[in-house]
Amino acid sequence: MVATEAQHQIVYASSITSCFPGSELLKDRHIFCTTGLFPQELIIKFPNVVNLISLGLISSYIGTLSLYRTVKDGPHSWQHFSTYELPNEDTLQNHVLEMEAVTATHLRVVIESGFSNFVCVYRLEINSKDVSSTL
């Protein structure tokens, strides 16, 4: 399953501008651009409990990215499960971050540092499997 507005919803974006609303990132035509301070974060809510399999990311200038999850009904009681150091590339950073079937109701994506004052996320794809019926 690939993240779409109908399946997953961004419920919080730390950097908000009228030109680049973070809540619209899951739509192909929008990007998330930071305001120059770190950390920056996005919180994604899933309609049910899911196993996270991978996170596809097209971005620019992200240095360190940390991922947190929760299985609570709301976005609280976060558990850190992975940190990625992305290379500084002259072109877009295009990465698939593999996960070991992490169970979650919410995903917190934290940009800890960047190679520039401003970083952008151009695309975010979440590969997941609904496991709510197996609980």
Side-chain angles (χ1 to χ4, degrees):
M1 166 190 340
V2 173
T4 65
E5 186 70 17
Q7 297 164 338
H8 310 327
Q9 178 184 9
I10 293 180
V11 294
Y12 176 77
S14 61
S15 180
I16 301 170
T17 68
S18 59
C19 295
F20 305 111
S23 61
E24 301 292 310
L25 177 63
L26 297 178
K27 296 178 182 176
D28 286 340
R29 61 189 178 276
H30 288 76
I31 67 172
F32 173 70
C33 188
T34 69
T35 57
L37 300 173
F38 297 101
Q40 295 286 331
E41 67 182 69
L42 296 164
I43 296 178
I44 299 146
K45 178 182 180 195
F46 303 105
N48 298 305
V49 179
V50 298
N51 272 347
L52 300 172
I53 299 165
S54 65
L55 178 74
L57 180 69
I58 298 177
S59 60
S60 61
Y61 302 115
I62 293 178
T64 304
L65 184 80
S66 295
L67 301 177
Y68 299 79
R69 61 107 183 195
T70 186
V71 292
K72 305 292 184 187
D73 289 335
H76 59 85
S77 303
W78 296 104
Q79 297 174 326
H80 176 263
F81 68 90
S82 196
T83 298
Y84 299 91
E85 299 291 334
L86 300 180
N88 188 5
E89 301 177 39
D90 291 335
T91 60
L92 291 178
Q93 297 166 308
N94 189 355
H95 298 278
V96 175
L97 311 174
E98 300 293 334
M99 300 174 207
E100 293 290 327
V102 175
T103 304
T105 55
H106 294 77
L107 174 67
R108 184 175 165 206
V109 179
V110 180
I111 301 169
E112 305 281 357
S113 66
F115 296 108
S116 175
N117 289 331
F118 297 90
V119 304
C120 289
V121 177
Y122 299 98
R123 187 164 177 87
L124 187 67
E125 290 184 351
I126 301 167
N127 185 4
S128 63
K129 180 180 178 184
D130 185 330
V131 294
S132 60
S133 62
T134 62
L135 298 177

